[in-house]
Amino acid sequence: MKKFPSLPIWTVVAPIAAWMLIIGTRFDLGLVYTFLLVVGLLGGVLAAVYHAEVVAHRVGEPYGTLVLALAVTLIEVALIVSLMLAGGEETMGLARDTVFAAIMIILNGIVGICLLAGASRHKEQTFGLLGVSASLATLAAIAVLTLVLPNYTLSAVGPFYSSSQLAFIAIISLVLYGTFVLVQTVRHRDYFLPDESTNDEEVHAAPPSDKVAWISGGLLLVCLGAVVLLAKSLAPSLELAVASVGAPKTLVGIIIAAVVLLPEGLAAVRAARANRLQTSLNLALGSALASIGLTIPAVAIVSLTTGWSLSLGLDVKSTVLLLLSFIVATLSLGTGRTTVMQGTIHLVIFAVYLFTTIVP
């Protein structure tokens, strides 16, 4: 992270422009305006990650990675809930598709790119096993309890939880995620701290001033609001585009997750290339945990409030890929050392996931 004597002008202009584009969505301005909305969305996402990194650098590790993970997850939760409320009961599988896509993108896509990019540049990288092990164990528990177990319960037919079961699982997800945050930031903070190199200019750069950090915090909220509203405005066009090419509806969840996770992914790859793999994995796995640990309780509240049935259980193919991902992640991240081999394996699984989603 570089020194922040002042904020780049584009990080201030981007959220303002995004909100101006939101005003224009009230009118039917055609395909060109839809393209501008996409540009505004990407600009808002990139500005959000910049401001999140400013705040993160001010508060330090591991709080910094937690700030970025929570910021990205708030985008995802707000977007999913708004789309569910707008689309009604027909969208009750959107949360499952988006959360599953987020886990696969992070656990195989982002982690794979980070391991491959870092090892390509530094040959072999190391990280602390204790923090990564805690992250994987928590993520596996929440993922299986929310996305696999619904298929095998008897109170409701199909991939659904009954109302009482859904409320219980929502509480369990919050308990697990809350305990992880407590471990990460208080009880065992040292598990997640990277080995700081004395030659790493980004690690030892002076943090931004309080004034800059507060301004970035405010602009971060502005960016998050703009991203949610722009994504909601683009959702109908996205669904039509997916349907026009004959792709399954689950592709919508993948695209939403990919857009939301773009800031975190860029930050994680950047850290891996700087030989800070611990920070990179903190970002990636922390984002996956925040995604599922906060999204499921949020959509559960919507389901229980509206009376709509929330479809959570994955199909057999997705279940196999999910379990394979956790097995491989446990093995590849179980030694504290990684090379291009581990990165390649994760990316191959991610490629299989994408291909079998489009060509089931």
Side-chain angles (χ1 to χ4, degrees), residues 139-322:
L139 181 59
I142 300 179
V144 172
L145 290 175
T146 56
L147 300 178
V148 178
L149 187 60
N151 292 320
Y152 301 98
T153 54
L154 303 177
S155 297
V157 179
F160 306 99
Y161 275 130
S162 66
S163 297
S164 59
Q165 289 173 335
L166 183 60
F168 181 72
I169 290 298
I171 295 172
I172 290 299
S173 298
L174 286 176
V175 168
L176 286 173
Y177 182 66
T179 304
F180 172 78
V181 171
L182 176 67
V183 169
Q184 184 185 33
T185 59
V186 181
R187 301 280 298 199
H188 301 285
R189 181 170 172 259
D190 55 308
Y191 289 178
F192 301 86
L193 293 178
D195 293 328
E196 298 181 352
S197 171
T198 55
N199 297 322
D200 193 337
E201 295 180 359
E202 292 192 356
V203 169
H204 297 281
S209 64
D210 288 339
K211 179 181 178 181
V212 172
W214 277 106
I215 292 174
S216 280
L219 288 173
L220 175 60
L221 297 177
V222 174
C223 290
L224 294 180
V227 167
V228 170
L229 294 178
L230 283 173
K232 184 178 178 181
S233 300
L234 288 168
S237 300
L238 175 61
E239 292 174 353
L240 287 175
V242 170
S244 65
V245 298
K249 289 185 178 180
T250 51
L251 187 60
V252 175
I254 295 177
I255 295 174
I256 291 174
V259 171
V260 170
L261 292 171
L262 179 61
E264 197 106 70
L266 292 175
V269 173
R270 185 166 170 263
R273 286 182 56 81
N275 203 23
R276 292 185 288 118
L277 188 59
Q278 181 68 59
T279 297
S280 180
L281 293 176
N282 286 348
L283 281 165
L285 298 179
S287 179
L289 276 166
S291 175
I292 191 169
L294 298 179
T295 300
I296 295 301
V299 298
I301 292 174
V302 174
S303 174
L304 294 172
T305 303
T306 59
W308 298 335
S309 297
L310 182 62
S311 178
L312 285 178
L314 296 171
D315 57 27
V316 176
K317 178 200 70 178
S318 299
T319 301
V320 170
L321 287 173
L322 178 67

Side-chain angles (χ1 to χ4, degrees), residues 95-111:
R96 174 200 59 211
D97 296 337
T98 305
V99 168
F100 175 59
I103 293 174
M104 296 300 290
I105 290 172
I106 292 170
L107 208 55
N108 294 306
I110 294 178
V111 169

Side-chain angles (χ1 to χ4, degrees), residues 19-180:
W19 277 99
M20 293 178 65
L21 288 170
I22 291 171
I23 296 174
T25 57
R26 299 181 179 180
F27 311 98
D28 186 9
L29 299 177
L31 185 61
V32 174
Y33 198 77
T34 300
F35 175 76
L36 291 177
L37 291 178
V38 174
V39 174
L41 176 63
L42 294 177
V45 168
L46 293 176
V49 70
Y50 183 90
H51 293 301
E53 285 188 323
V54 173
V55 176
H57 191 56
R58 179 62 187 174
V59 300
E61 287 293 338
Y63 306 105
T65 55
L66 180 63
V67 168
L68 187 53
L70 291 176
V72 171
T73 303
L74 285 175
I75 298 177
E76 181 181 7
V77 171
L79 178 56
I80 292 174
V81 171
S82 63
L83 291 177
M84 286 172 59
L85 293 175
E89 197 165 1
E90 294 181 357
T91 61
M92 295 310 285
L94 178 63
R96 174 200 59 211
D97 296 337
T98 305
V99 168
F100 175 59
I103 293 174
M104 296 300 290
I105 290 172
I106 292 170
L107 208 55
N108 294 306
I110 294 178
V111 169
I113 293 173
C114 289
L115 297 183
L116 189 61
S120 297
R121 190 170 187 178
H122 304 284
K123 294 187 178 179
E124 183 180 81
Q125 292 182 294
T126 60
F127 58 89
L129 280 176
L130 297 177
V132 170
S133 176
S135 301
L136 284 176
T138 310
L139 181 59
I142 300 179
V144 172
L145 290 175
T146 56
L147 300 178
V148 178
L149 187 60
N151 292 320
Y152 301 98
T153 54
L154 303 177
S155 297
V157 179
F160 306 99
Y161 275 130
S162 66
S163 297
S164 59
Q165 289 173 335
L166 183 60
F168 181 72
I169 290 298
I171 295 172
I172 290 299
S173 298
L174 286 176
V175 168
L176 286 173
Y177 182 66
T179 304
F180 172 78

Side-chain angles (χ1 to χ4, degrees), residues 284-359:
L285 298 179
S287 179
L289 276 166
S291 175
I292 191 169
L294 298 179
T295 300
I296 295 301
V299 298
I301 292 174
V302 174
S303 174
L304 294 172
T305 303
T306 59
W308 298 335
S309 297
L310 182 62
S311 178
L312 285 178
L314 296 171
D315 57 27
V316 176
K317 178 200 70 178
S318 299
T319 301
V320 170
L321 287 173
L322 178 67
L323 297 179
L324 175 63
S325 299
F326 280 118
I327 292 172
V328 170
T330 302
L331 293 174
S332 63
L333 301 178
T335 63
R337 296 179 179 273
T338 59
T339 64
V340 293
M341 186 73 252
Q342 286 89 345
T344 302
I345 294 172
H346 282 274
L347 287 177
V348 165
I349 296 175
F350 183 61
V352 171
Y353 161 66
L354 291 179
F355 184 79
T356 54
T357 298
I358 300 173
V359 186

